[in-house]
Amino acid sequence: MNLILMGAPGAGKGTQSAKISEKYQIPAIATGDILRAERKAGTELGKEAQAYIEAGKLVPDAVVIGIIKKYMVENNCENGFILDGFPRSIPQAEALEAMGIKIDAVLSIEVPDQKIVDRMSGRRVCSCGASYHVVYNPPVKADVCDKCGEALYIRADDAAETVKNRLKTFHNETEPLKEFYSKKGLLISVEGQEEVADTTALVFKALSAVEA
Ligand code: ADP
Ligand code: ZN
């Protein structure tokens, strides 16, 4: 299954993509995680991306398209994949089409803006890619990753002011993709729930319809 996961920043894409990845045994490719890893490694690409990320803007299309091309080749995508956070603009979606990659479904997790702001303030992440929320999805031990035992941290771009800009960017540049994919009959919308498990149940239900 070749899947695109869409949603506002903090809608729970990363959390749900981990669940889907486990169930369907397909890799998740998260452009945000890749960009942060590049930053941590101190690469040119990472440095270039950082300014955009901290301003709540999109990293230029050419940069992320280049990343996706590379990762699609490196990861074993034969049984499918989940794209988490890509495409995020119409030009990125067109580039994906130009790569000749067939998409089976585009899952959009819907969460109202007020809830996003609330969620971001409690988000804690790990460099392994795991993501938590102090109230809605807490780790077993506070501030420690369940998966790898490393210390959790707050993302720099989760600052309230940056979150506002990220939401603006989402509505202006990413949300038009809903119509783009809806016209192709690929869009499935799922309402994000308070509990992670409840959203996962809705996501799995929606995906079982795709398989059939
Ligand atoms: P979220 O979905 O919570 O905003 P991500 O980790 O997916 O978090 O993305 C963090 C930031 O990385 C984005 O705000 C943006 O600056 C950059 N980024 C990630 N994916 C893309 C993309 N496909 N195109 C442009 N910028 C991207
Ligand atoms: Zn971890």
Side-chain angles (χ1 to χ4, degrees):
M1 179 154 47
N2 296 349
L3 201 64
I4 290 170
L5 210 52
M6 267 189 67
K13 295 186 296 294
T15 304
Q16 297 305 327
S17 102
K19 307 276 183 199
I20 301 167
S21 175
E22 195 183 2
K23 176 167 178 187
Y24 289 91
Q25 292 293 302
I26 50 178
I29 303 167
T31 40
D33 287 348
I34 294 167
L35 292 169
R36 279 185 291 277
E38 294 280 344
R39 164 80 205 288
K40 209 178 166 195
T43 65
E44 274 312 309
L45 186 117
K47 280 180 213 159
E48 191 196 338
Q50 193 58 17
Y52 295 98
I53 293 173
E54 282 182 4
K57 292 183 181 159
L58 293 186
V59 172
D61 288 334
V63 175
V64 281
I65 290 165
I67 288 175
I68 284 294
K69 281 190 176 153
K70 181 165 166 264
Y71 274 76
M72 297 290 280
V73 174
E74 282 173 8
N75 284 271
N76 178 13
C77 292
E78 271 168 30
N79 296 324
F81 56 80
I82 308 158
L83 289 175
D84 167 2
F86 183 95
R88 245 174 158 104
S89 67
I90 300 279
Q92 290 180 19
E94 287 168 349
L96 193 61
E97 279 188 338
M99 284 154 74
I101 292 167
K102 182 181 126 285
I103 297 298
D104 297 308
V106 177
L107 197 71
S108 173
I109 304 176
E110 306 291 335
V111 177
D113 284 9
Q114 322 87 265
K115 279 205 182 152
I116 293 291
V117 174
D118 172 35
R119 282 191 191 184
M120 300 301 240
S121 62
R123 176 150 80 173
R124 299 292 181 273
V125 298
C126 178
S127 57
C128 80
S131 180
Y132 304 86
H133 188 283
V134 290
V135 178
Y136 307 123
N137 180 30
V140 175
K141 189 168 172 241
D143 296 320
V144 176
C145 181
D146 292 350
K147 303 221 169 72
C148 74
E150 268 194 49
L152 303 180
Y153 64 95
I154 300 172
R155 267 169 49 178
D157 59 341
D158 279 352
E161 199 48 43
T162 310
V163 168
K164 258 194 246 161
N165 290 332
R166 287 162 69 194
L167 277 170
K168 215 183 283 169
T169 303
F170 171 72
H171 292 306
N172 291 339
E173 296 183 57
T174 307
E175 229 171 6
L177 287 176
K178 284 196 210 164
E179 202 196 331
F180 180 93
Y181 286 119
S182 163
K183 277 187 187 152
K184 297 176 192 291
L186 293 176
L187 187 75
I188 307 170
S189 295
V190 165
E191 294 287 332
Q193 305 295 307
E194 292 294 332
E195 296 288 333
V196 169
D198 293 340
T199 307
T200 305
L202 291 178
V203 165
F204 284 173
K205 195 174 158 219
L207 291 183
S208 64
V210 173
E211 275 182 299

